[in-house]
Short mmCIF file of all heavy atoms in Angstrom, two decimals:
data_model
loop_
_atom_site.label_atom_id
_atom_site.label_comp_id
_atom_site.label_asym_id
_atom_site.label_seq_id
_atom_site.Cartn_x
_atom_site.Cartn_y
_atom_site.Cartn_z
N ASN A 1 0.83 -1.12 -0.05
CA ASN A 1 0.02 0.01 -0.03
C ASN A 1 0.84 1.24 -0.07
O ASN A 1 0.94 2.01 0.99
CB ASN A 1 -0.84 0.05 1.19
CG ASN A 1 -1.94 1.12 1.19
OD1 ASN A 1 -2.22 1.67 0.11
ND2 ASN A 1 -2.51 1.43 2.25
N PRO A 2 1.55 1.50 -1.02
CA PRO A 2 2.55 2.58 -1.19
C PRO A 2 1.89 4.04 -1.01
O PRO A 2 2.61 4.95 -0.74
CB PRO A 2 3.27 2.42 -2.45
CG PRO A 2 2.20 1.69 -3.30
CD PRO A 2 1.56 0.73 -2.31
N GLN A 3 0.60 4.09 -1.24
CA GLN A 3 0.06 5.36 -1.19
C GLN A 3 -0.49 5.72 0.26
O GLN A 3 -1.19 6.78 0.40
CB GLN A 3 -1.24 5.42 -2.16
CG GLN A 3 -0.92 5.15 -3.61
CD GLN A 3 0.06 6.21 -4.16
OE1 GLN A 3 -0.08 7.44 -3.94
NE2 GLN A 3 1.13 5.77 -4.92
N SER A 4 -0.30 4.72 1.20
CA SER A 4 -0.74 5.12 2.56
C SER A 4 -0.15 6.31 3.12
O SER A 4 1.06 6.47 3.13
CB SER A 4 -0.42 3.92 3.43
OG SER A 4 -0.82 4.12 4.74
N GLY A 5 -1.11 7.19 3.66
CA GLY A 5 -0.58 8.45 4.26
C GLY A 5 -0.21 9.53 3.20
O GLY A 5 0.26 10.54 3.67
N SER A 6 -0.28 9.23 1.89
CA SER A 6 0.17 10.24 0.95
C SER A 6 -0.91 11.27 0.68
O SER A 6 -0.47 12.40 0.26
CB SER A 6 0.46 9.52 -0.39
OG SER A 6 -0.73 9.00 -0.87
N VAL A 7 -2.20 11.13 0.89
CA VAL A 7 -3.14 12.15 0.72
C VAL A 7 -2.97 13.39 1.53
O VAL A 7 -2.85 14.47 1.01
CB VAL A 7 -4.58 11.59 0.90
CG1 VAL A 7 -5.60 12.64 0.85
CG2 VAL A 7 -4.89 10.48 -0.16
N PRO A 8 -2.84 13.27 2.85
CA PRO A 8 -2.55 14.45 3.72
C PRO A 8 -1.17 15.14 3.27
O PRO A 8 -1.12 16.39 3.40
CB PRO A 8 -2.49 13.90 5.11
CG PRO A 8 -3.19 12.61 5.19
CD PRO A 8 -2.94 12.08 3.80
N GLN A 9 -0.15 14.33 3.01
CA GLN A 9 1.17 14.92 2.49
C GLN A 9 0.89 15.68 1.27
O GLN A 9 1.44 16.75 1.07
CB GLN A 9 2.08 13.85 2.39
CG GLN A 9 2.62 13.15 3.61
CD GLN A 9 3.50 12.03 3.36
OE1 GLN A 9 3.95 11.80 2.25
NE2 GLN A 9 3.86 11.32 4.47
N GLN A 10 0.18 15.16 0.27
CA GLN A 10 -0.16 15.82 -0.98
C GLN A 10 -0.80 17.15 -0.71
O GLN A 10 -0.62 18.12 -1.37
CB GLN A 10 -1.01 14.87 -1.95
CG GLN A 10 -1.17 15.43 -3.27
CD GLN A 10 0.00 15.69 -4.03
OE1 GLN A 10 1.08 14.96 -3.91
NE2 GLN A 10 -0.01 16.68 -4.94
N GLU A 11 -1.89 17.14 0.17
CA GLU A 11 -2.64 18.25 0.51
C GLU A 11 -1.77 19.48 1.08
O GLU A 11 -1.89 20.58 0.85
CB GLU A 11 -3.83 17.93 1.36
CG GLU A 11 -4.94 17.12 0.83
CD GLU A 11 -6.04 16.86 1.68
OE1 GLU A 11 -5.79 16.97 2.86
OE2 GLU A 11 -7.05 16.28 1.34
N ALA A 12 -0.88 19.00 1.97
CA ALA A 12 0.03 19.90 2.64
C ALA A 12 0.94 20.59 1.57
O ALA A 12 1.26 21.75 1.60
CB ALA A 12 0.91 19.30 3.71
N LEU A 13 1.51 19.74 0.75
CA LEU A 13 2.32 20.28 -0.39
C LEU A 13 1.60 21.23 -1.28
O LEU A 13 2.21 22.21 -1.58
CB LEU A 13 2.86 19.00 -1.24
CG LEU A 13 3.85 19.35 -2.46
CD1 LEU A 13 5.02 20.06 -1.87
CD2 LEU A 13 4.17 18.13 -3.17
N GLU A 14 0.35 20.89 -1.68
CA GLU A 14 -0.36 21.78 -2.59
C GLU A 14 -0.62 23.11 -1.81
O GLU A 14 -0.59 24.26 -2.37
CB GLU A 14 -1.64 21.16 -2.95
CG GLU A 14 -1.44 19.95 -3.93
CD GLU A 14 -2.79 19.29 -4.26
OE1 GLU A 14 -3.81 19.65 -3.64
OE2 GLU A 14 -2.79 18.31 -5.07
N ALA A 15 -0.88 23.06 -0.45
CA ALA A 15 -1.19 24.30 0.22
C ALA A 15 0.12 25.17 0.28
O ALA A 15 -0.02 26.33 0.15
CB ALA A 15 -1.72 23.92 1.69
N ALA A 16 1.31 24.52 0.54
CA ALA A 16 2.55 25.23 0.59
C ALA A 16 2.85 25.85 -0.77
O ALA A 16 3.33 27.07 -0.81
CB ALA A 16 3.64 24.18 1.02
N GLN A 17 2.50 25.03 -1.84
CA GLN A 17 2.79 25.67 -3.17
C GLN A 17 1.90 26.98 -3.44
O GLN A 17 2.33 27.93 -4.02
CB GLN A 17 2.65 24.64 -4.27
CG GLN A 17 3.61 23.49 -4.23
CD GLN A 17 3.37 22.36 -5.11
OE1 GLN A 17 2.23 22.19 -5.47
NE2 GLN A 17 4.38 21.52 -5.52
N LEU A 18 0.68 26.73 -3.02
CA LEU A 18 -0.34 27.83 -3.22
C LEU A 18 0.22 29.07 -2.39
O LEU A 18 0.16 30.24 -2.90
CB LEU A 18 -1.72 27.51 -2.82
CG LEU A 18 -2.67 28.53 -2.65
CD1 LEU A 18 -3.01 29.20 -3.92
CD2 LEU A 18 -4.07 28.00 -1.93
N ARG A 19 0.52 28.89 -1.17
CA ARG A 19 1.03 29.96 -0.39
C ARG A 19 2.25 30.63 -0.97
O ARG A 19 2.24 31.90 -1.06
CB ARG A 19 1.42 29.42 1.04
CG ARG A 19 1.97 30.40 2.07
CD ARG A 19 2.50 29.68 3.30
NE ARG A 19 3.64 28.83 2.82
CZ ARG A 19 4.05 27.79 3.50
NH1 ARG A 19 3.52 27.36 4.73
NH2 ARG A 19 5.12 27.08 3.10
N ASP A 20 3.23 29.88 -1.62
CA ASP A 20 4.28 30.42 -2.09
C ASP A 20 3.93 31.31 -3.37
O ASP A 20 4.47 32.42 -3.50
CB ASP A 20 5.33 29.42 -2.61
CG ASP A 20 5.99 28.76 -1.34
OD1 ASP A 20 5.88 29.26 -0.19
OD2 ASP A 20 6.56 27.63 -1.56
N ARG A 21 2.99 30.78 -4.30
CA ARG A 21 2.61 31.57 -5.44
C ARG A 21 1.93 32.85 -4.94
O ARG A 21 2.31 33.99 -5.56
CB ARG A 21 1.61 30.71 -6.28
CG ARG A 21 2.23 29.54 -7.02
CD ARG A 21 1.28 29.16 -8.10
NE ARG A 21 -0.04 28.74 -7.60
CZ ARG A 21 -0.33 27.49 -7.11
NH1 ARG A 21 0.68 26.54 -7.09
NH2 ARG A 21 -1.55 27.26 -6.72
N VAL A 22 0.98 32.83 -4.04
CA VAL A 22 0.32 33.99 -3.60
C VAL A 22 1.34 35.04 -2.91
O VAL A 22 1.20 36.20 -3.14
CB VAL A 22 -0.83 33.68 -2.58
CG1 VAL A 22 -1.40 34.91 -2.07
CG2 VAL A 22 -1.90 32.74 -3.41
N HIS A 23 2.22 34.46 -2.19
CA HIS A 23 3.18 35.39 -1.58
C HIS A 23 4.03 36.09 -2.48
O HIS A 23 4.20 37.30 -2.33
CB HIS A 23 4.19 34.46 -0.61
CG HIS A 23 5.14 35.22 0.17
ND1 HIS A 23 6.41 35.55 -0.37
CD2 HIS A 23 5.14 35.68 1.38
CE1 HIS A 23 7.06 36.29 0.66
NE2 HIS A 23 6.33 36.39 1.63
N HIS A 24 4.51 35.38 -3.57
CA HIS A 24 5.31 36.12 -4.55
C HIS A 24 4.47 37.23 -5.21
O HIS A 24 4.91 38.21 -5.62
CB HIS A 24 5.84 35.12 -5.65
CG HIS A 24 6.98 34.26 -4.93
ND1 HIS A 24 8.04 34.84 -4.33
CD2 HIS A 24 7.20 32.86 -4.96
CE1 HIS A 24 8.88 33.80 -3.95
NE2 HIS A 24 8.33 32.58 -4.29
N GLN A 25 3.22 36.90 -5.59
CA GLN A 25 2.34 37.79 -6.27
C GLN A 25 2.10 39.00 -5.47
O GLN A 25 2.11 40.19 -5.94
CB GLN A 25 1.05 37.04 -6.68
CG GLN A 25 0.02 38.00 -7.39
CD GLN A 25 -1.26 37.34 -7.82
OE1 GLN A 25 -1.21 36.22 -8.33
NE2 GLN A 25 -2.33 38.08 -7.70
N VAL A 26 1.88 38.78 -4.12
CA VAL A 26 1.54 39.93 -3.24
C VAL A 26 2.80 40.78 -3.14
O VAL A 26 2.65 42.05 -3.16
CB VAL A 26 1.07 39.36 -1.84
CG1 VAL A 26 1.10 40.45 -0.81
CG2 VAL A 26 -0.25 38.72 -1.95
N VAL A 27 3.95 40.21 -2.93
CA VAL A 27 5.16 41.05 -2.92
C VAL A 27 5.40 41.82 -4.15
O VAL A 27 5.75 43.03 -4.10
CB VAL A 27 6.40 40.13 -2.63
CG1 VAL A 27 7.72 40.88 -2.78
CG2 VAL A 27 6.37 39.42 -1.30
#
């Protein structure tokens, strides 16, 4: 079951990427 626990990690990664994009745009 290699995908076990990957959903929360993927969501956290996407949130971090979104934060970085918005941060750069705001700056």
